[in-house]
Amino acid sequence: MRVPVLLCALACLSAAAGPADRSCTDLRQFYTGKGFLLAGVPQTEISGEHLRTCPQGPTCCTSTMEENLAGLSSQETEGLIREAGRSLQAVFNALYRSFDTYFTELHSHSERSLQEALSPLGPLYSQNTRLYDGLYSDLRQYYRGSSLNLDETLTEFWSRLLERTFKSSTPTDVILSEDYLECVAKQQETLRPFGEIPRDMKAKVIRAFVTARSFVQGLIVSGEVVKKVSQVSLSPECTKALMKLVYCPHCRGLASVKPCSNYCSNVMKGCLANQADLDPEWQNLIDTMIQVASSFTAEPSLDVVLSSIPVRIYGAVRFLLENMETFTTKVYQTCGAPGEPGTGSPGLHEQKKKSGSLTASEYKPSPTAGQRLEMQVSDLSSKLREMRQYWTELPVALCSKLAAGASNQDKCWNGITKARYLPEVMGDGLANQINNPEVELDITKPDMTIRQQIMQLKIMSNRLKNALDGNDVDFQDASDDISGSGSGMCMGGHCSRNRPGLFAYSPDNNRVRGGATSLPAAILLLQR
């Protein structure tokens, strides 16, 4: 009878000694692999009453290790968020470069065609090239972010062109004072010497340039919002939840067990609750940018408006020359006669006679020009749609790297042990986290940096909506009022106020990857 009793006693002693003798070799290797020193790391499991975040019980983690791993989990998650943000910034920067290249090429092509369209005007073109070039320079500066008033700029152009054309049709021995020419210029609105061309061209050019400038500003502001929000630090409550999610399994000897997907979702939705509050205004801005992009192809399309500027100017000048006698008579009635014309000078009749033979090639857009614009708009719109739900998809993207697959939901880490996770998944945004079991949040204290960026999105959306109506409101960054740093555009050295540079970093990838996919955009960004 003594042998069975002895065996039983040995078995009991063996069972009691087992947990205490369990080796911590795997955790020691893992811990040093993360860059920490082995000093103070146990060789075998110890009692876990000291743990403050992980479930208490036999463990290979000391309090110091728990703190170190908690900080690491937060750093790594912040790194993933910044990585996704940089990828999204790269997409916005690439979209900007694509559209900017297209638009500036349109502008340059229109400017190059000036000579061909206006050379039949003779001295009216050759002696006034600075006037025509100045118009294109002003339009370029406006697009680049200058504070020019486009309506006033175009009105001034037509006034100066009226002065030059009237002066060229006046006999050379008649002296026209600056005051007299100013009186002539003032007749533009009442007498309409160029017909309806200036008014029609002004409406179309203003709409084209206002929408184009607002669109590129929308792309830039969106990228800067992503940058600022992606750099927001995670809260201490989030750090604690991430430690429990990511590294507590290692402390419990369950290193190979991945977190349950719903558990991970609750942690990430809690950690990114403020970021998710961007979603309504973010989607509003994206939708408005898509709407603006679509307006580029509406009649008259963007390429037609820009490319037809020289021919419109030619048509306006020719209209005036053909009706110069009538116009001059009315000017004399209003401004008085400047002097008696000399008999031997090339006067009004001679100029009118010459104008009858003026010809200029009408603008006929090539078939490929329209196709290129359609492709440009289609590409912009499709890429923007992929980003539409970025902030609510970001938790899903992060968990795709961390959590167990659908087939392992009964054998995953649920924050306590290896078993199914039972709590329901929270909704998106701060208000929906009031009952989040994983992250303690005060829903009455939103993150102010993110609130500032929500206002930035709202201001940009309103600017784009005004642009759709052809209205150019004075653009003021939300951050000018709140944080003191702008998110406007400053290109080509022409700015109305001090603004930051266009790109905050040099993206590694100049091409926009994309295409039809069913995966969330944030997941694609994290996988790049």
Side-chain angles (χ1 to χ4, degrees):
M1 293 294 294
R2 295 180 61 187
V3 173
V5 172
L6 182 59
L7 290 174
C8 181
L10 288 172
C12 292
L13 287 172
S14 177
D21 294 333
R22 188 177 299 170
S23 173
C24 290
T25 301
D26 291 342
L27 183 60
R28 287 167 65 87
Q29 291 178 349
F30 167 80
Y31 193 66
T32 55
K34 291 294 183 179
F36 298 111
L37 299 176
L38 279 176
V41 178
Q43 296 283 350
T44 57
E45 279 189 340
I46 57 176
S47 175
E49 290 85 355
H50 58 278
L51 297 177
R52 293 294 175 264
T53 300
C54 297
Q56 294 184 346
T59 183
C60 286
C61 290
T62 63
S63 295
T64 300
M65 293 171 66
E66 189 180 39
E67 290 177 7
N68 290 342
L69 290 172
L72 179 63
S73 66
S74 181
Q75 292 172 17
E76 290 176 338
T77 304
E78 287 177 343
L80 289 174
I81 294 169
R82 286 194 297 270
E83 178 187 344
R86 283 192 295 267
S87 296
L88 191 57
Q89 280 181 272
V91 176
F92 277 115
N93 287 346
L95 289 179
Y96 167 81
R97 283 191 295 272
S98 176
F99 179 78
D100 182 65
T101 298
Y102 171 76
F103 188 83
T104 51
E105 284 178 1
L106 273 183
H107 186 278
S108 298
H109 178 268
S110 178
E111 188 173 17
R112 287 194 301 270
S113 66
L114 265 174
Q115 183 175 1
E116 179 185 354
L118 301 186
S119 57
L121 297 177
L124 264 177
Y125 169 67
S126 60
Q127 295 176 10
N128 296 294
T129 54
R130 289 182 64 182
L131 176 65
Y132 303 117
D133 293 343
L135 173 63
Y136 277 87
S137 176
D138 287 342
L139 291 175
R140 184 181 296 107
Q141 287 183 38
Y142 174 83
Y143 169 71
R144 292 296 185 196
S146 168
S147 61
L148 283 171
N149 183 303
L150 213 49
D151 188 284
E152 293 177 0
T153 297
L154 290 166
T155 298
E156 179 69 13
F157 167 76
W158 289 111
S159 295
R160 299 288 78 82
L161 183 58
L162 177 56
E163 289 181 8
R164 310 290 174 83
T165 308
F166 183 83
K167 188 174 182 179
S168 72
S169 300
T170 303
T172 55
D173 59 346
V174 175
I175 298 175
L176 298 174
S177 67
E178 289 298 321
D179 289 342
Y180 191 87
L181 288 175
E182 194 67 30
C183 180
V184 172
K186 290 178 180 178
Q187 308 313 308
Q188 182 183 178
E189 284 300 318
T190 55
L191 300 181
R192 297 187 186 175
F194 296 115
E196 294 300 321
I197 292 176
R199 181 175 295 186
D200 183 62
M201 176 177 146
K202 181 189 289 187
K204 291 178 171 61
V205 167
I206 287 177
R207 181 180 293 274
F209 275 82
V210 166
T211 52
R213 179 164 98 156
S214 298
F215 183 74
V216 294
Q217 286 176 339
L219 293 174
I220 293 166
V221 167
S222 299
E224 290 183 347
V225 167
V226 172
K227 178 190 174 186
K228 290 177 183 177
V229 173
S230 298
Q231 291 176 340
V232 171
S233 299
L234 298 175
S235 67
E237 293 78 14
C238 176
T239 297
K240 183 177 179 180
L242 286 170
M243 170 59 193
K244 189 176 177 183
L245 175 78
V246 178
Y247 289 129
C248 282
H250 292 268
C251 292
R252 292 286 288 172
L254 299 171
S256 62
V257 181
K258 287 192 170 185
C260 302
S261 59
N262 286 353
Y263 172 37
C264 182
S265 293
N266 276 343
V267 172
M268 294 304 177
K269 282 176 181 284
C271 288
L272 299 172
N274 282 282
Q275 287 84 338
D277 281 344
L278 285 159
D279 184 65
E281 284 303 328
W282 177 263
Q283 290 201 33
N284 184 34
L285 177 58
I286 295 294
D287 290 343
T288 308
M289 281 199 287
I290 292 172
Q291 193 177 355
V292 170
S294 299
S295 75
F296 296 147
T297 58
E299 293 297 333
S301 60
L302 191 65
D303 58 333
V304 170
V305 172
L306 266 69
S307 300
S308 62
I309 290 175
V311 175
R312 283 176 172 270
I313 295 174
Y314 168 81
V317 173
R318 181 167 181 176
F319 180 90
L320 173 57
L321 292 175
E322 291 175 348
N323 296 278
M324 185 62 79
E325 286 185 7
T326 302
F327 176 69
T328 302
T329 300
K330 292 180 179 179
V331 167
Y332 285 179
Q333 292 172 356
T334 304
C335 303
E340 294 299 325
T343 56
S345 59
L348 187 60
H349 178 72
E350 183 71 14
Q351 183 65 44
K352 181 176 182 293
K353 182 179 177 182
K354 289 181 180 179
S355 72
S357 62
L358 298 181
T359 58
S361 56
E362 291 187 6
Y363 172 68
K364 295 179 180 179
S366 65
T368 56
Q371 293 174 5
R372 186 183 176 194
L373 178 58
E374 291 281 355
M375 291 176 61
Q376 181 77 27
V377 170
S378 176
D379 184 62
L380 288 168
S381 299
S382 64
K383 296 298 189 301
L384 287 169
R385 286 191 187 95
E386 290 178 9
M387 310 175 201
R388 201 170 171 274
Q389 294 179 300
Y390 174 80
W391 297 109
T392 54
E393 289 174 348
L394 187 55
V396 179
L398 295 172
C399 286
S400 71
K401 288 181 169 287
L402 296 174
S407 61
N408 291 320
Q409 292 308 299
D410 288 323
K411 301 177 182 178
C412 52
W413 172 250
N414 65 7
I416 300 174
T417 188
K418 180 181 178 181
R420 175 174 286 274
Y421 182 75
L422 299 178
E424 64 176 340
V425 177
M426 299 293 102
D428 298 309
L430 189 60
N432 286 317
Q433 307 310 310
I434 189 169
N435 294 317
N436 192 319
E438 309 306 335
V439 186
E440 295 181 10
L441 289 172
D442 184 348
I443 65 171
T444 66
K445 295 180 180 179
D447 184 276
M448 291 311 298
T449 297
I450 293 177
R451 297 293 131 174
Q452 290 164 11
Q453 298 312 304
I454 291 173
M455 182 59 69
Q456 186 83 306
L457 295 173
K458 188 175 296 185
I459 289 174
M460 194 66 241
S461 294
N462 289 336
R463 178 169 178 79
L464 285 162
K465 288 172 183 175
N466 274 287
L468 283 169
D469 296 327
N471 299 323
D472 183 23
V473 296
D474 181 29
F475 182 56
Q476 184 175 15
D477 301 322
S479 48
D480 285 346
D481 297 326
I482 302 172
S483 65
S485 60
S487 294
M489 181 168 54
C490 182
M491 297 173 286
H494 305 292
C495 301
S496 59
R497 58 175 66 99
N498 291 329
R499 287 172 174 173
L502 178 58
F503 300 115
Y505 73 104
S506 299
D508 296 328
N509 186 2
N510 290 337
R511 299 181 60 191
V512 184
R513 305 179 195 174
T517 175
S518 59
L519 290 175
I523 292 180
L524 293 175
L525 293 171
L526 283 169
Q527 289 176 343
R528 289 176 182 171

